[in-house]
Amino acid sequence: MLVNGKKRLLAFIERPFKRKKMKQKSIALIYVAACLVMACQKETRPAGILSPEEFSKVLVEVYLAEARMNSTALQRDSAMKLFAAYEAKMLQQFELPDSALRKTQQYYVDHPDQLEKIYDSVIDTLSLRQQKMTKKASDSFIEKRKEGRKPDDK
């Protein structure tokens, strides 16, 4: 009877520990499941944020405008005024309010992995345009040479 009493006592003492282990396992399982669900969810852009493709197009136009301003012989403050007017016209062309552009910029700054892809696209687009311009200028130069004109003549 003493042996049977010891077994009962040990079972009584171990019972809370077994429950605790099961509780810990359950909590761990719930935590892992929650992490998997959160990791599998695709984050969606909030309303009013441009898609990466749209934002890329806007950035290309902004960089082209900046390049045009930098190539002029204007003073910096005059160039900034001219650029501000061009930027307003460009935003109107894209039917994009200034606030939406600022909101989009902030969104992608907060999501650097997406911003990096956008800038890769912008760089590719600008590089392609530069190649086309260089080829066009080169072809024009060769054509003028074949006609016997100096490249400076029009």
Side-chain angles (χ1 to χ4, degrees):
M1 177 110 175
L2 191 59
V3 175
N4 199 12
K6 275 187 172 179
K7 286 183 181 179
R8 280 189 199 170
L9 182 63
L10 285 174
F12 179 75
I13 293 172
E14 289 177 350
R15 189 177 306 151
F17 293 112
K18 287 182 179 179
R19 286 184 189 155
K20 191 174 183 179
K21 284 183 182 180
M22 287 178 52
K23 196 174 193 180
Q24 287 175 344
K25 286 180 183 179
S26 298
I27 291 172
L29 185 61
I30 291 170
Y31 178 74
V32 168
C35 287
L36 286 173
V37 168
M38 290 173 62
C40 293
Q41 286 181 334
K42 189 173 184 178
E43 187 176 328
T44 58
R45 285 187 316 275
I49 302 296
L50 298 176
S51 71
E53 295 79 20
E54 293 169 327
F55 190 47
S56 177
K57 288 177 186 177
V58 171
L59 287 177
V60 166
E61 290 303 317
V62 168
Y63 284 119
L64 289 173
E66 285 181 355
R68 285 186 210 112
M69 296 303 127
N70 288 335
S71 67
T72 63
L74 296 174
Q75 294 285 333
R76 180 165 170 76
D77 59 339
S78 299
M80 292 299 288
K81 287 179 184 176
L82 187 61
F83 180 76
Y86 180 80
E87 183 181 34
K89 182 180 177 185
M90 180 191 64
L91 291 174
Q92 188 178 24
Q93 176 187 352
F94 281 106
E95 298 177 356
L96 181 67
D98 186 54
S99 60
L101 181 60
R102 304 281 178 244
K103 192 175 175 183
T104 299
Q105 287 173 329
Q106 187 59 51
Y107 174 81
Y108 285 115
V109 165
D110 293 340
H111 297 84
D113 54 324
Q114 293 179 28
L115 185 61
E116 184 178 358
K117 292 175 185 175
I118 290 169
Y119 270 102
D120 287 343
S121 172
V122 169
I123 291 169
D124 290 345
T125 301
L126 292 173
S127 296
L128 188 61
R129 283 187 180 205
Q130 183 181 20
Q131 287 174 0
K132 286 180 181 179
M133 297 277 293
T134 303
K135 182 169 177 16
K136 188 176 179 181
S138 175
D139 290 348
S140 175
F141 177 80
I142 292 170
E143 190 176 303
K144 287 180 181 179
R145 293 284 265 174
K146 285 180 181 178
E147 292 175 359
R149 295 186 291 165
K150 292 182 182 177
D152 295 359
D153 294 344
K154 295 194 179 186

